[in-house]
Amino acid sequence: MPRYYRHIQRNDVVLHDPEGVDLPDIEAARAEAVQGIRDVLAEAVRQGTDDAFDDSIVLTDEAGRVLMIIPFIEALPPRLRGAT
Amino acid sequence: MQNPLISKLEKHGPLSEEEKEVLQRITARTAIFEPREDIVPEGSTPSHSSLILSGFAMRHNHLPDGRRQITAIHVPGDFADLHSFLLKTIDDGVSALTACRVAFVAHKDLRDVTRNFPHLTRALWLTTLIDGAVHRVWMTSLGRMDARERLAHFLCELRDRLDSIGLVRDDSFELPLTQADLSDAFGLSTVHVNRTLQELRSDGLITSTGKVLTINDRKELRRIAQYNPDYLHIDQKLERD
């Protein structure tokens, strides 16, 4: 299985994913990243903060090629996206 | 190297030469398990209890739909399934995280120990009570802590457990769990696990090189986790008759 890395871009800072996860294909990697974002945002909501809402996941392959950028906000259900 | 079960039990007070010989004898039959290999398969009915001599193992439950919860990490000196001696059928599973050397302690030998060695029997009982205490603290962590607190708490706990068996040097120790393992142990997504670890790193609390983790600011990590190691009862002395 290919390995995918989910770096987190926050303004100018990148929180690296040094390890990555093995998943069957890019669709699975995207779905896994979206679930991950929802988990992070759920905790932010519980804590009453919105500082993670501008972050993005930069999904790369093993060679470091950027496959996809997923803004955190895109992982929200549609009616919540306009809230920021 | 000293038998890790003897080292662990002697934390709770000295053992007699005869008791140590018995422990050596009943842990003599060993096998090697590769990473991710089952040590105690889910639902099995073993005729022996498995003792971790070296390496790390994980205990897990699977839901019928495949989702996994890791319920404990086992380190050298820990029994994976001392309780299979009495429970017979294992209701969860234990598999290797790293390569593990495991001793198979025959249930008939445990029966002899409980018949003839009351102090050893109580010492083994004590280890299962401490395993239970760790489960209760994990439950509290899963129910009440946020991601940062949970991971900080686990790192504090693992450091102290490994330190008690001599596997910590300058607050550095092996952390063989992947993001996916930590995710399944602490009810977090892998993205959340990585983000939280990276934040602990960028706050200067931890660093890691490969599978080796270093705690740089133990006091602050303990403060974040509201960590108190009393539940590990590491030096709890056991009275002799």
Side-chain angles (χ1 to χ4, degrees):
Chain A
M1 277 200 280
R3 180 162 293 190
Y4 297 93
Y5 294 81
R6 298 79 39 85
H7 310 295
I8 295 173
Q9 176 89 45
R10 168 177 296 172
N11 304 319
D12 298 337
V13 181
V14 178
L15 296 175
H16 280 281
D17 175 2
E19 188 183 302
V21 285
D22 297 332
L23 291 164
D25 54 38
I26 188 165
E27 267 319 300
R30 190 191 124 75
E32 214 261 356
V34 165
Q35 275 310 116
I37 293 169
R38 288 175 183 158
D39 182 31
V40 172
L41 290 182
E43 187 173 277
V45 168
R46 274 199 298 277
Q47 294 174 340
T49 66
D50 62 2
D51 57 345
F53 282 70
D54 296 326
D55 294 1
S56 301
I57 281 196
V58 180
L59 186 70
T60 73
D61 63 14
E62 210 143 3
R65 275 188 298 263
V66 175
L67 304 173
M68 198 182 281
I69 294 176
I70 312 167
F72 272 30
I73 201 106
E74 278 185 15
L76 289 172
R79 285 211 298 159
L80 295 180
R81 282 181 207 164
T84 54
Chain B
M1 201 177 135
Q2 163 95 297
N3 181 308
L5 179 60
I6 295 176
S7 310
K8 176 168 165 164
L9 297 186
E10 285 213 301
K11 288 271 172 192
H12 305 298
L15 300 176
S16 71
E17 284 309 312
E18 191 187 13
E19 287 165 338
K20 284 193 263 191
E21 277 164 27
V22 167
L23 291 177
Q24 280 295 3
R25 184 170 54 73
I26 68 174
T27 57
R29 191 159 66 93
T30 66
I32 303 284
F33 289 87
E34 297 303 318
R36 307 287 149 181
E37 202 178 343
D38 277 347
I39 296 172
V40 186
E42 282 191 49
S44 60
T45 307
S47 58
H48 57 257
S49 292
S50 295
L51 168 75
I52 313 298
L53 294 173
S54 68
F56 289 74
M58 60 181 159
R59 143 157 263 114
H60 43 69
N61 269 319
H62 283 90
L63 293 176
D65 67 10
R67 282 176 288 172
R68 175 180 75 152
Q69 176 70 42
I70 293 176
T71 57
I73 300 301
H74 292 304
V75 301
D78 290 354
F79 266 104
D81 64 329
L82 186 59
H83 50 289
S84 71
F85 170 41
L86 297 175
L87 287 180
K88 303 301 178 196
T89 299
I90 285 293
D91 49 62
D92 62 356
V94 179
S95 48
L97 264 172
T98 63
C100 283
R101 200 158 70 87
V102 172
F104 297 138
V105 181
H107 287 163
K108 67 174 175 44
D109 288 339
L110 288 171
R111 185 172 294 277
D112 288 342
V113 166
T114 56
R115 187 184 296 120
N116 300 319
F117 295 92
H119 180 76
L120 276 186
T121 302
R122 287 192 292 265
L124 291 171
W125 184 3
L126 177 64
T127 67
T128 67
L129 296 177
I130 294 171
D131 289 346
V134 172
H135 285 312
R136 290 193 290 278
V137 168
W138 277 41
M139 200 186 293
T140 307
S141 156
L142 287 167
R144 287 293 176 230
M145 288 184 173
D146 68 21
R148 184 177 170 87
E149 294 168 328
R150 273 180 218 174
L151 290 173
H153 197 281
F154 172 63
L155 295 176
C156 290
E157 175 189 298
L158 188 62
R159 185 241 168 246
D160 285 354
R161 288 171 62 196
L162 292 176
D163 185 54
S164 77
I165 51 172
L167 293 179
V168 175
R169 185 159 296 176
D170 299 330
D171 281 333
S172 292
F173 53 89
E174 186 181 0
L175 179 70
L177 287 83
T178 63
Q179 288 175 10
D181 297 330
L182 289 168
S183 151
D184 286 347
F186 297 103
L188 303 165
S189 63
T190 56
V191 169
H192 206 170
V193 165
N194 185 48
R195 180 178 186 272
T196 306
L197 290 176
Q198 294 301 333
E199 284 181 347
L200 292 174
R201 271 187 199 109
S202 63
D203 292 344
L205 299 172
I206 59 170
T207 47
S208 59
T209 323
K211 294 284 179 203
V212 175
L213 185 120
T214 303
I215 297 178
N216 300 316
D217 189 342
R218 188 145 73 100
K219 194 165 162 232
E220 180 58 12
L221 203 64
R222 289 171 79 137
R223 192 195 61 76
I224 288 168
Q226 303 184 53
Y227 176 76
N228 176 339
D230 288 356
Y231 68 99
L232 296 173
H233 300 270
I234 283 173
D235 291 313
Q236 157 100 49
K237 297 302 175 223
L238 198 60
E239 286 165 34
R240 292 203 73 100
D241 294 323

